[in-house]
Amino acid sequence: MKKYKILINGEWIETGKWIDVVDKYHLKPFASIAAANADLVGGAVAAADKAWREKPLTPFQRYEILMNSGEILKRRQDEVAETISQEVGKTFKEAKVEAGRVINNFIIAAEESKRIVGEIIPADAIQGNENRFCFTMRQPKGVIGCITPFNFPFNLVAHKVCPALAAGNAVVLKPASATPISSVMMCEILEEAGLPAGYINLVPGAGEEIGHALLENQDIAFYSFTGSPKVGKEIAQKTGLRQCSLELGSNSGVIVTADASLDLAVEKCLRMAMANAGQVCISVQRVLVEEKIKNDFMDLMLEKVKELKVGDPFDPETDIGPMISEKEALRTEAWVEEAARQGALVLHGGKRIKGALFEPTIIDQITSDMKMWCEEVFAPVLCVATFKEFDEALQKINDSKYGLQAGVFTSNINKALEAAKVIQTGGVIINDAPSYRVDNGPYGGIKESGIGKEGVKYAIEEMTNLKVIAVNLN
Ligand code: NAP
């Protein structure tokens, strides 16, 4: 079993305490990593603070480090994907895509590091401000505290670390306890690419202990969190006047109108309800189908779901790997049973197979008060309800405490644009699942899905201070 050290101020250290990391398919530890503690968090933040203040990197240096990182990752992509697959349980195919997205994120961040610009403010456009020269500049905020979830342990770390470094900040990273090893690889890659000591520090450990120590530390200027709404709310309360971005959960909805391509809608909805065993913040959970095509939609859906193979993530034939833990699979089973007791119809699946493997599940006759519909299920479960009028569908999609992304399948441009205008989410995806995300675009929810935007360019705005300079030329 391989043992991994953690990185603080450029030193790889052991701490005397180890966290076992479990292979989610075999449910046996495959690696362990040194656990940080509150003192080490203090040391990591101090090192990061010193790095960005005393060894500032020019935009060109940041560009070079991030581009080099992309090149190194190209070489290590299979090895990283193997680790992601083992620690999350997602299929190797999915893990390879995740690692590939990080190559892109390094390149996007490298390019963005050269485009952090201010603007000239025409002060004399306001009477009485003649002979004033005003401009703005963006400066690094300082130490960025990153707290990340288990489901995309490499790409969601990249979505924080890449913009933070591109903007000239330094990072203290706390990965999810279930999936910390790919973060070691992120640090190794950046180190090999030439990132100076102190710019990235890795502090794995339990959320309550290490997360708490990070939130207490007043030298962290900005927190970038992705995870559950419960922890997100706690972070918002504790950070006070310090800023944070919170990328939280969802119960993403899809509308399928009678004029849509049925094949496309079924294929995308099913694939994106089951990807990563349904553990994606923008998984397809609630599907609203126009009543007159409901039977055709369900027939095709049930035909396709039977083709899905659940099992070993390293088997190229596998479509769905295990969930993150047996506990989560049991929790999902209990939710399905509760929905069935309340009158929902389980048309396919609904059961834990063994360990953390869960059957792809299709549920019909669901009502909006059922947990399966109104809470985030975060499991390979797709729920179906119907609508008669398009307005009714829009209203049902919006009837959610979450607002991350929504999907609309229609061939009617007016309906598509009406949906884009009316749906209350951070993104509306036309003729695709709500799970579509392009890594150089803005991404983030409203309502209980969070605050702030990710996507390198947009995260850079959040992770920099906008300063105005005014010169009196009189
Ligand atoms: P989680 O339980 O909230 O954990 C996320 C991170 O927070 C982990 O590193 C966790 O550490 C840490 N943490 C736990 N308690 C903490 C505390 N009291 N203070 C500070 N940090 C604490 O979420 P998860 O189960 O890993 O991920 C699933 C959730 O993430 C879902 O709700 C999903 O929708 C959401 N998500 C959102 C997005 C998005 O972009 N909007 C993307 C992916 C996932 P430990 O691991 O040690 O507990």
PDB file of all heavy atoms in Angstrom, residues 353-389:
ATOM      1  N   ILE A 353     -26.622  -3.196  -5.203  1.00  0.00           N
ATOM      2  CA  ILE A 353     -26.272  -4.526  -5.722  1.00  0.00           C
ATOM      3  C   ILE A 353     -25.382  -5.243  -4.709  1.00  0.00           C
ATOM      4  O   ILE A 353     -25.723  -6.280  -4.176  1.00  0.00           O
ATOM      5  CB  ILE A 353     -25.578  -4.409  -7.099  1.00  0.00           C
ATOM      6  CG1 ILE A 353     -26.506  -3.694  -8.093  1.00  0.00           C
ATOM      7  CG2 ILE A 353     -25.171  -5.774  -7.623  1.00  0.00           C
ATOM      8  CD1 ILE A 353     -25.844  -3.239  -9.367  1.00  0.00           C
ATOM      9  N   LYS A 354     -24.227  -4.645  -4.452  1.00  0.00           N
ATOM     10  CA  LYS A 354     -23.315  -5.108  -3.393  1.00  0.00           C
ATOM     11  C   LYS A 354     -22.334  -3.975  -3.142  1.00  0.00           C
ATOM     12  O   LYS A 354     -22.123  -3.129  -4.024  1.00  0.00           O
ATOM     13  CB  LYS A 354     -22.583  -6.392  -3.781  1.00  0.00           C
ATOM     14  CG  LYS A 354     -21.676  -6.225  -4.980  1.00  0.00           C
ATOM     15  CD  LYS A 354     -20.755  -7.396  -5.198  1.00  0.00           C
ATOM     16  CE  LYS A 354     -19.832  -7.063  -6.361  1.00  0.00           C
ATOM     17  NZ  LYS A 354     -18.816  -7.929  -6.713  1.00  0.00           N
ATOM     18  N   GLY A 355     -21.736  -3.940  -1.976  1.00  0.00           N
ATOM     19  CA  GLY A 355     -20.794  -2.863  -1.663  1.00  0.00           C
ATOM     20  C   GLY A 355     -21.424  -1.515  -1.953  1.00  0.00           C
ATOM     21  O   GLY A 355     -22.518  -1.211  -1.492  1.00  0.00           O
ATOM     22  N   ALA A 356     -20.734  -0.716  -2.774  1.00  0.00           N
ATOM     23  CA  ALA A 356     -21.242   0.627  -3.080  1.00  0.00           C
ATOM     24  C   ALA A 356     -21.870   0.694  -4.469  1.00  0.00           C
ATOM     25  O   ALA A 356     -22.126   1.770  -4.991  1.00  0.00           O
ATOM     26  CB  ALA A 356     -20.102   1.633  -2.962  1.00  0.00           C
ATOM     27  N   LEU A 357     -22.110  -0.487  -5.075  1.00  0.00           N
ATOM     28  CA  LEU A 357     -22.727  -0.513  -6.415  1.00  0.00           C
ATOM     29  C   LEU A 357     -24.242  -0.361  -6.301  1.00  0.00           C
ATOM     30  O   LEU A 357     -24.873  -1.059  -5.504  1.00  0.00           O
ATOM     31  CB  LEU A 357     -22.410  -1.831  -7.121  1.00  0.00           C
ATOM     32  CG  LEU A 357     -20.952  -2.089  -7.516  1.00  0.00           C
ATOM     33  CD1 LEU A 357     -20.800  -3.504  -8.055  1.00  0.00           C
ATOM     34  CD2 LEU A 357     -20.474  -1.069  -8.552  1.00  0.00           C
ATOM     35  N   PHE A 358     -24.791   0.527  -7.117  1.00  0.00           N
ATOM     36  CA  PHE A 358     -26.239   0.772  -7.066  1.00  0.00           C
ATOM     37  C   PHE A 358     -26.817   0.653  -8.471  1.00  0.00           C
ATOM     38  O   PHE A 358     -26.213   1.112  -9.444  1.00  0.00           O
ATOM     39  CB  PHE A 358     -26.521   2.173  -6.505  1.00  0.00           C
ATOM     40  CG  PHE A 358     -27.935   2.319  -6.007  1.00  0.00           C
ATOM     41  CD1 PHE A 358     -28.273   1.929  -4.718  1.00  0.00           C
ATOM     42  CD2 PHE A 358     -28.934   2.810  -6.837  1.00  0.00           C
ATOM     43  CE1 PHE A 358     -29.578   2.024  -4.260  1.00  0.00           C
ATOM     44  CE2 PHE A 358     -30.249   2.909  -6.390  1.00  0.00           C
ATOM     45  CZ  PHE A 358     -30.572   2.523  -5.095  1.00  0.00           C
ATOM     46  N   GLU A 359     -27.991   0.043  -8.557  1.00  0.00           N
ATOM     47  CA  GLU A 359     -28.614  -0.147  -9.871  1.00  0.00           C
ATOM     48  C   GLU A 359     -29.028   1.189 -10.478  1.00  0.00           C
ATOM     49  O   GLU A 359     -29.538   2.057  -9.753  1.00  0.00           O
ATOM     50  CB  GLU A 359     -29.889  -0.999  -9.728  1.00  0.00           C
ATOM     51  CG  GLU A 359     -29.639  -2.431  -9.325  1.00  0.00           C
ATOM     52  CD  GLU A 359     -30.955  -3.172  -9.078  1.00  0.00           C
ATOM     53  OE1 GLU A 359     -31.935  -2.561  -8.631  1.00  0.00           O
ATOM     54  OE2 GLU A 359     -30.969  -4.387  -9.325  1.00  0.00           O
ATOM     55  N   PRO A 360     -28.874   1.352 -11.803  1.00  0.00           N
ATOM     56  CA  PRO A 360     -29.427   2.556 -12.435  1.00  0.00           C
ATOM     57  C   PRO A 360     -30.943   2.538 -12.232  1.00  0.00           C
ATOM     58  O   PRO A 360     -31.574   1.502 -12.472  1.00  0.00           O
ATOM     59  CB  PRO A 360     -29.049   2.408 -13.909  1.00  0.00           C
ATOM     60  CG  PRO A 360     -28.699   0.973 -14.106  1.00  0.00           C
ATOM     61  CD  PRO A 360     -28.273   0.423 -12.779  1.00  0.00           C
ATOM     62  N   THR A 361     -31.494   3.644 -11.780  1.00  0.00           N
ATOM     63  CA  THR A 361     -32.873   3.634 -11.296  1.00  0.00           C
ATOM     64  C   THR A 361     -33.739   4.665 -12.012  1.00  0.00           C
ATOM     65  O   THR A 361     -33.319   5.821 -12.178  1.00  0.00           O
ATOM     66  CB  THR A 361     -32.854   3.904  -9.771  1.00  0.00           C
ATOM     67  OG1 THR A 361     -32.116   2.841  -9.160  1.00  0.00           O
ATOM     68  CG2 THR A 361     -34.257   3.972  -9.182  1.00  0.00           C
ATOM     69  N   ILE A 362     -34.909   4.216 -12.452  1.00  0.00           N
ATOM     70  CA  ILE A 362     -35.865   5.117 -13.106  1.00  0.00           C
ATOM     71  C   ILE A 362     -37.152   5.106 -12.278  1.00  0.00           C
ATOM     72  O   ILE A 362     -37.713   4.037 -12.008  1.00  0.00           O
ATOM     73  CB  ILE A 362     -36.206   4.636 -14.548  1.00  0.00           C
ATOM     74  CG1 ILE A 362     -34.942   4.345 -15.362  1.00  0.00           C
ATOM     75  CG2 ILE A 362     -37.128   5.638 -15.257  1.00  0.00           C
ATOM     76  CD1 ILE A 362     -34.144   5.527 -15.800  1.00  0.00           C
ATOM     77  N   ILE A 363     -37.598   6.296 -11.900  1.00  0.00           N
ATOM     78  CA  ILE A 363     -38.799   6.392 -11.051  1.00  0.00           C
ATOM     79  C   ILE A 363     -39.852   7.263 -11.741  1.00  0.00           C
ATOM     80  O   ILE A 363     -39.555   8.348 -12.239  1.00  0.00           O
ATOM     81  CB  ILE A 363     -38.446   6.988  -9.668  1.00  0.00           C
ATOM     82  CG1 ILE A 363     -37.342   6.155  -9.014  1.00  0.00           C
ATOM     83  CG2 ILE A 363     -39.675   7.033  -8.770  1.00  0.00           C
ATOM     84  CD1 ILE A 363     -37.032   6.543  -7.598  1.00  0.00           C
ATOM     85  N   ASP A 364     -41.075   6.761 -11.716  1.00  0.00           N
ATOM     86  CA  ASP A 364     -42.207   7.469 -12.332  1.00  0.00           C
ATOM     87  C   ASP A 364     -43.207   7.835 -11.235  1.00  0.00           C
ATOM     88  O   ASP A 364     -43.080   7.403 -10.090  1.00  0.00           O
ATOM     89  CB  ASP A 364     -42.842   6.522 -13.371  1.00  0.00           C
ATOM     90  CG  ASP A 364     -43.803   7.256 -14.303  1.00  0.00           C
ATOM     91  OD1 ASP A 364     -43.879   8.500 -14.229  1.00  0.00           O
ATOM     92  OD2 ASP A 364     -44.479   6.581 -15.102  1.00  0.00           O
ATOM     93  N   GLN A 365     -44.232   8.610 -11.635  1.00  0.00           N
ATOM     94  CA  GLN A 365     -45.323   8.990 -10.725  1.00  0.00           C
ATOM     95  C   GLN A 365     -44.798   9.625  -9.446  1.00  0.00           C
ATOM     96  O   GLN A 365     -45.210   9.285  -8.335  1.00  0.00           O
ATOM     97  CB  GLN A 365     -46.153   7.757 -10.383  1.00  0.00           C
ATOM     98  CG  GLN A 365     -46.487   6.953 -11.596  1.00  0.00           C
ATOM     99  CD  GLN A 365     -47.940   6.558 -11.693  1.00  0.00           C
ATOM    100  OE1 GLN A 365     -48.650   6.523 -10.725  1.00  0.00           O
ATOM    101  NE2 GLN A 365     -48.381   6.279 -12.896  1.00  0.00           N
ATOM    102  N   ILE A 366     -43.878  10.538  -9.644  1.00  0.00           N
ATOM    103  CA  ILE A 366     -43.254  11.194  -8.496  1.00  0.00           C
ATOM    104  C   ILE A 366     -43.970  12.517  -8.262  1.00  0.00           C
ATOM    105  O   ILE A 366     -44.462  13.131  -9.201  1.00  0.00           O
ATOM    106  CB  ILE A 366     -41.743  11.352  -8.791  1.00  0.00           C
ATOM    107  CG1 ILE A 366     -40.950  11.664  -7.548  1.00  0.00           C
ATOM    108  CG2 ILE A 366     -41.450  12.332  -9.880  1.00  0.00           C
ATOM    109  CD1 ILE A 366     -39.841  10.682  -7.324  1.00  0.00           C
ATOM    110  N   THR A 367     -44.050  12.935  -7.030  1.00  0.00           N
ATOM    111  CA  THR A 367     -44.683  14.233  -6.751  1.00  0.00           C
ATOM    112  C   THR A 367     -43.654  15.179  -6.123  1.00  0.00           C
ATOM    113  O   THR A 367     -42.640  14.735  -5.573  1.00  0.00           O
ATOM    114  CB  THR A 367     -45.897  14.077  -5.813  1.00  0.00           C
ATOM    115  OG1 THR A 367     -45.470  13.354  -4.663  1.00  0.00           O
ATOM    116  CG2 THR A 367     -47.038  13.347  -6.492  1.00  0.00           C
ATOM    117  N   SER A 368     -43.970  16.458  -6.207  1.00  0.00           N
ATOM    118  CA  SER A 368     -42.951  17.465  -5.872  1.00  0.00           C
ATOM    119  C   SER A 368     -42.601  17.509  -4.389  1.00  0.00           C
ATOM    120  O   SER A 368     -41.600  18.109  -4.014  1.00  0.00           O
ATOM    121  CB  SER A 368     -43.414  18.845  -6.339  1.00  0.00           C
ATOM    122  OG  SER A 368     -44.607  19.169  -5.669  1.00  0.00           O
ATOM    123  N   ASP A 369     -43.417  16.848  -3.545  1.00  0.00           N
ATOM    124  CA  ASP A 369     -43.091  16.867  -2.118  1.00  0.00           C
ATOM    125  C   ASP A 369     -42.180  15.699  -1.723  1.00  0.00           C
ATOM    126  O   ASP A 369     -41.696  15.627  -0.595  1.00  0.00           O
ATOM    127  CB  ASP A 369     -44.387  16.828  -1.281  1.00  0.00           C
ATOM    128  CG  ASP A 369     -45.276  15.652  -1.694  1.00  0.00           C
ATOM    129  OD1 ASP A 369     -45.113  15.154  -2.836  1.00  0.00           O
ATOM    130  OD2 ASP A 369     -46.120  15.238  -0.881  1.00  0.00           O
ATOM    131  N   MET A 370     -41.918  14.787  -2.659  1.00  0.00           N
ATOM    132  CA  MET A 370     -41.065  13.631  -2.306  1.00  0.00           C
ATOM    133  C   MET A 370     -39.601  14.063  -2.269  1.00  0.00           C
ATOM    134  O   MET A 370     -39.142  14.819  -3.125  1.00  0.00           O
ATOM    135  CB  MET A 370     -41.248  12.505  -3.326  1.00  0.00           C
ATOM    136  CG  MET A 370     -42.625  11.865  -3.277  1.00  0.00           C
ATOM    137  SD  MET A 370     -42.725  10.556  -4.523  1.00  0.00           S
ATOM    138  CE  MET A 370     -44.474  10.198  -4.490  1.00  0.00           C
ATOM    139  N   LYS A 371     -38.877  13.506  -1.286  1.00  0.00           N
ATOM    140  CA  LYS A 371     -37.461  13.824  -1.118  1.00  0.00           C
ATOM    141  C   LYS A 371     -36.695  13.600  -2.434  1.00  0.00           C
ATOM    142  O   LYS A 371     -35.818  14.376  -2.805  1.00  0.00           O
ATOM    143  CB  LYS A 371     -36.907  12.903  -0.032  1.00  0.00           C
ATOM    144  CG  LYS A 371     -35.876  13.582   0.854  1.00  0.00           C
ATOM    145  CD  LYS A 371     -35.131  12.605   1.703  1.00  0.00           C
ATOM    146  CE  LYS A 371     -35.886  12.114   2.889  1.00  0.00           C
ATOM    147  NZ  LYS A 371     -35.171  11.084   3.660  1.00  0.00           N
ATOM    148  N   MET A 372     -37.056  12.510  -3.104  1.00  0.00           N
ATOM    149  CA  MET A 372     -36.415  12.133  -4.354  1.00  0.00           C
ATOM    150  C   MET A 372     -36.502  13.250  -5.403  1.00  0.00           C
ATOM    151  O   MET A 372     -35.746  13.265  -6.368  1.00  0.00           O
ATOM    152  CB  MET A 372     -37.176  10.922  -4.871  1.00  0.00           C
ATOM    153  CG  MET A 372     -36.422   9.793  -5.423  1.00  0.00           C
ATOM    154  SD  MET A 372     -34.766   9.673  -4.946  1.00  0.00           S
ATOM    155  CE  MET A 372     -34.593   7.981  -4.681  1.00  0.00           C
ATOM    156  N   TRP A 373     -37.485  14.128  -5.272  1.00  0.00           N
ATOM    157  CA  TRP A 373     -37.693  15.217  -6.237  1.00  0.00           C
ATOM    158  C   TRP A 373     -37.154  16.537  -5.697  1.00  0.00           C
ATOM    159  O   TRP A 373     -36.463  17.265  -6.407  1.00  0.00           O
ATOM    160  CB  TRP A 373     -39.199  15.347  -6.537  1.00  0.00           C
ATOM    161  CG  TRP A 373     -39.551  16.300  -7.635  1.00  0.00           C
ATOM    162  CD1 TRP A 373     -39.925  17.615  -7.487  1.00  0.00           C
ATOM    163  CD2 TRP A 373     -39.575  16.050  -9.047  1.00  0.00           C
ATOM    164  NE1 TRP A 373     -40.179  18.171  -8.711  1.00  0.00           N
ATOM    165  CE2 TRP A 373     -39.978  17.233  -9.697  1.00  0.00           C
ATOM    166  CE3 TRP A 373     -39.306  14.916  -9.837  1.00  0.00           C
ATOM    167  CZ2 TRP A 373     -40.108  17.337 -11.085  1.00  0.00           C
ATOM    168  CZ3 TRP A 373     -39.436  15.033 -11.213  1.00  0.00           C
ATOM    169  CH2 TRP A 373     -39.832  16.226 -11.828  1.00  0.00           C
ATOM    170  N   CYS A 374     -37.424  16.826  -4.435  1.00  0.00           N
ATOM    171  CA  CYS A 374     -37.111  18.183  -3.965  1.00  0.00           C
ATOM    172  C   CYS A 374     -35.742  18.307  -3.286  1.00  0.00           C
ATOM    173  O   CYS A 374     -35.238  19.407  -3.135  1.00  0.00           O
ATOM    174  CB  CYS A 374     -38.227  18.728  -3.077  1.00  0.00           C
ATOM    175  SG  CYS A 374     -38.517  17.775  -1.609  1.00  0.00           S
ATOM    176  N   GLU A 375     -35.129  17.187  -2.891  1.00  0.00           N
ATOM    177  CA  GLU A 375     -33.772  17.244  -2.326  1.00  0.00           C
ATOM    178  C   GLU A 375     -32.777  16.765  -3.382  1.00  0.00           C
ATOM    179  O   GLU A 375     -33.175  16.194  -4.397  1.00  0.00           O
ATOM    180  CB  GLU A 375     -33.668  16.347  -1.085  1.00  0.00           C
ATOM    181  CG  GLU A 375     -34.612  16.718   0.053  1.00  0.00           C
ATOM    182  CD  GLU A 375     -34.273  18.047   0.702  1.00  0.00           C
ATOM    183  OE1 GLU A 375     -33.101  18.468   0.625  1.00  0.00           O
ATOM    184  OE2 GLU A 375     -35.189  18.676   1.269  1.00  0.00           O
ATOM    185  N   GLU A 376     -31.493  16.929  -3.114  1.00  0.00           N
ATOM    186  CA  GLU A 376     -30.474  16.429  -4.051  1.00  0.00           C
ATOM    187  C   GLU A 376     -30.237  14.940  -3.784  1.00  0.00           C
ATOM    188  O   GLU A 376     -29.831  14.566  -2.687  1.00  0.00           O
ATOM    189  CB  GLU A 376     -29.163  17.204  -3.850  1.00  0.00           C
ATOM    190  CG  GLU A 376     -28.054  16.723  -4.753  1.00  0.00           C
ATOM    191  CD  GLU A 376     -26.740  17.468  -4.536  1.00  0.00           C
ATOM    192  OE1 GLU A 376     -26.372  17.714  -3.385  1.00  0.00           O
ATOM    193  OE2 GLU A 376     -26.088  17.785  -5.547  1.00  0.00           O
ATOM    194  N   VAL A 377     -30.475  14.084  -4.790  1.00  0.00           N
ATOM    195  CA  VAL A 377     -30.343  12.644  -4.538  1.00  0.00           C
ATOM    196  C   VAL A 377     -28.886  12.192  -4.647  1.00  0.00           C
ATOM    197  O   VAL A 377     -28.447  11.317  -3.926  1.00  0.00           O
ATOM    198  CB  VAL A 377     -31.286  11.812  -5.434  1.00  0.00           C
ATOM    199  CG1 VAL A 377     -31.021  11.999  -6.893  1.00  0.00           C
ATOM    200  CG2 VAL A 377     -31.199  10.340  -5.078  1.00  0.00           C
ATOM    201  N   PHE A 378     -28.119  12.773  -5.565  1.00  0.00           N
ATOM    202  CA  PHE A 378     -26.683  12.479  -5.721  1.00  0.00           C
ATOM    203  C   PHE A 378     -26.427  10.968  -5.827  1.00  0.00           C
ATOM    204  O   PHE A 378     -25.620  10.391  -5.086  1.00  0.00           O
ATOM    205  CB  PHE A 378     -25.907  13.090  -4.549  1.00  0.00           C
ATOM    206  CG  PHE A 378     -24.592  13.714  -4.978  1.00  0.00           C
ATOM    207  CD1 PHE A 378     -24.567  14.709  -5.947  1.00  0.00           C
ATOM    208  CD2 PHE A 378     -23.376  13.317  -4.426  1.00  0.00           C
ATOM    209  CE1 PHE A 378     -23.367  15.293  -6.353  1.00  0.00           C
ATOM    210  CE2 PHE A 378     -22.171  13.889  -4.824  1.00  0.00           C
ATOM    211  CZ  PHE A 378     -22.187  14.878  -5.783  1.00  0.00           C
ATOM    212  N   ALA A 379     -27.127  10.338  -6.750  1.00  0.00           N
ATOM    213  CA  ALA A 379     -27.070   8.885  -6.938  1.00  0.00           C
ATOM    214  C   ALA A 379     -27.601   8.599  -8.353  1.00  0.00           C
ATOM    215  O   ALA A 379     -28.220   9.470  -8.964  1.00  0.00           O
ATOM    216  CB  ALA A 379     -27.950   8.208  -5.882  1.00  0.00           C
ATOM    217  N   PRO A 380     -27.396   7.358  -8.861  1.00  0.00           N
ATOM    218  CA  PRO A 380     -27.833   7.074 -10.243  1.00  0.00           C
ATOM    219  C   PRO A 380     -29.348   6.885 -10.350  1.00  0.00           C
ATOM    220  O   PRO A 380     -29.841   5.790 -10.606  1.00  0.00           O
ATOM    221  CB  PRO A 380     -27.076   5.789 -10.595  1.00  0.00           C
ATOM    222  CG  PRO A 380     -26.828   5.119  -9.277  1.00  0.00           C
ATOM    223  CD  PRO A 380     -26.687   6.211  -8.267  1.00  0.00           C
ATOM    224  N   VAL A 381     -30.079   7.960 -10.133  1.00  0.00           N
ATOM    225  CA  VAL A 381     -31.543   7.902 -10.097  1.00  0.00           C
ATOM    226  C   VAL A 381     -32.110   9.023 -10.966  1.00  0.00           C
ATOM    227  O   VAL A 381     -31.720  10.186 -10.823  1.00  0.00           O
ATOM    228  CB  VAL A 381     -32.058   8.092  -8.649  1.00  0.00           C
ATOM    229  CG1 VAL A 381     -33.585   8.056  -8.625  1.00  0.00           C
ATOM    230  CG2 VAL A 381     -31.480   7.040  -7.718  1.00  0.00           C
ATOM    231  N   LEU A 382     -33.049   8.640 -11.842  1.00  0.00           N
ATOM    232  CA  LEU A 382     -33.713   9.623 -12.702  1.00  0.00           C
ATOM    233  C   LEU A 382     -35.218   9.571 -12.401  1.00  0.00           C
ATOM    234  O   LEU A 382     -35.804   8.496 -12.402  1.00  0.00           O
ATOM    235  CB  LEU A 382     -33.408   9.268 -14.156  1.00  0.00           C
ATOM    236  CG  LEU A 382     -33.973  10.125 -15.275  1.00  0.00           C
ATOM    237  CD1 LEU A 382     -33.049  10.057 -16.494  1.00  0.00           C
ATOM    238  CD2 LEU A 382     -35.358   9.693 -15.696  1.00  0.00           C
ATOM    239  N   CYS A 383     -35.796  10.719 -12.106  1.00  0.00           N
ATOM    240  CA  CYS A 383     -37.221  10.774 -11.751  1.00  0.00           C
ATOM    241  C   CYS A 383     -37.991  11.485 -12.867  1.00  0.00           C
ATOM    242  O   CYS A 383     -37.526  12.494 -13.402  1.00  0.00           O
ATOM    243  CB  CYS A 383     -37.421  11.565 -10.465  1.00  0.00           C
ATOM    244  SG  CYS A 383     -36.500  10.908  -9.090  1.00  0.00           S
ATOM    245  N   VAL A 384     -39.184  10.965 -13.171  1.00  0.00           N
ATOM    246  CA  VAL A 384     -39.960  11.525 -14.282  1.00  0.00           C
ATOM    247  C   VAL A 384     -41.315  12.029 -13.798  1.00  0.00           C
ATOM    248  O   VAL A 384     -41.990  11.377 -12.995  1.00  0.00           O
ATOM    249  CB  VAL A 384     -40.176  10.453 -15.376  1.00  0.00           C
ATOM    250  CG1 VAL A 384     -40.946  11.032 -16.566  1.00  0.00           C
ATOM    251  CG2 VAL A 384     -38.844   9.895 -15.852  1.00  0.00           C
ATOM    252  N   ALA A 385     -41.704  13.200 -14.302  1.00  0.00           N
ATOM    253  CA  ALA A 385     -43.064  13.725 -14.090  1.00  0.00           C
ATOM    254  C   ALA A 385     -43.506  14.348 -15.418  1.00  0.00           C
ATOM    255  O   ALA A 385     -42.694  14.452 -16.351  1.00  0.00           O
ATOM    256  CB  ALA A 385     -43.059  14.758 -12.978  1.00  0.00           C
ATOM    257  N   THR A 386     -44.748  14.746 -15.509  1.00  0.00           N
ATOM    258  CA  THR A 386     -45.233  15.255 -16.801  1.00  0.00           C
ATOM    259  C   THR A 386     -45.771  16.678 -16.677  1.00  0.00           C
ATOM    260  O   THR A 386     -46.005  17.184 -15.572  1.00  0.00           O
ATOM    261  CB  THR A 386     -46.375  14.375 -17.353  1.00  0.00           C
ATOM    262  OG1 THR A 386     -47.378  14.296 -16.350  1.00  0.00           O
ATOM    263  CG2 THR A 386     -45.894  13.010 -17.741  1.00  0.00           C
ATOM    264  N   PHE A 387     -45.974  17.299 -17.863  1.00  0.00           N
ATOM    265  CA  PHE A 387     -46.628  18.616 -17.921  1.00  0.00           C
ATOM    266  C   PHE A 387     -47.485  18.666 -19.178  1.00  0.00           C
ATOM    267  O   PHE A 387     -47.257  17.911 -20.130  1.00  0.00           O
ATOM    268  CB  PHE A 387     -45.589  19.744 -17.917  1.00  0.00           C
ATOM    269  CG  PHE A 387     -44.743  19.818 -19.161  1.00  0.00           C
ATOM    270  CD1 PHE A 387     -45.123  20.602 -20.257  1.00  0.00           C
ATOM    271  CD2 PHE A 387     -43.560  19.094 -19.273  1.00  0.00           C
ATOM    272  CE1 PHE A 387     -44.353  20.662 -21.418  1.00  0.00           C
ATOM    273  CE2 PHE A 387     -42.778  19.142 -20.427  1.00  0.00           C
ATOM    274  CZ  PHE A 387     -43.184  19.929 -21.501  1.00  0.00           C
ATOM    275  N   LYS A 388     -48.473  19.600 -19.137  1.00  0.00           N
ATOM    276  CA  LYS A 388     -49.327  19.771 -20.337  1.00  0.00           C
ATOM    277  C   LYS A 388     -48.919  21.027 -21.096  1.00  0.00           C
ATOM    278  O   LYS A 388     -48.765  21.020 -22.296  1.00  0.00           O
ATOM    279  CB  LYS A 388     -50.788  19.890 -19.900  1.00  0.00           C
ATOM    280  CG  LYS A 388     -51.459  18.573 -19.557  1.00  0.00           C
ATOM    281  CD  LYS A 388     -52.989  18.745 -19.632  1.00  0.00           C
ATOM    282  CE  LYS A 388     -53.725  17.472 -19.271  1.00  0.00           C
ATOM    283  NZ  LYS A 388     -53.958  17.281 -17.830  1.00  0.00           N
ATOM    284  N   GLU A 389     -48.757  22.140 -20.378  1.00  0.00           N
ATOM    285  CA  GLU A 389     -48.414  23.416 -21.004  1.00  0.00           C
ATOM    286  C   GLU A 389     -46.963  23.771 -20.680  1.00  0.00           C
ATOM    287  O   GLU A 389     -46.482  23.484 -19.582  1.00  0.00           O
ATOM    288  CB  GLU A 389     -49.337  24.536 -20.470  1.00  0.00           C
ATOM    289  CG  GLU A 389     -50.817  24.298 -20.679  1.00  0.00           C
ATOM    290  CD  GLU A 389     -51.182  24.239 -22.159  1.00  0.00           C
ATOM    291  OE1 GLU A 389     -50.483  24.894 -22.968  1.00  0.00           O
ATOM    292  OE2 GLU A 389     -52.136  23.517 -22.505  1.00  0.00           O
TER     293      GLU A 389
END
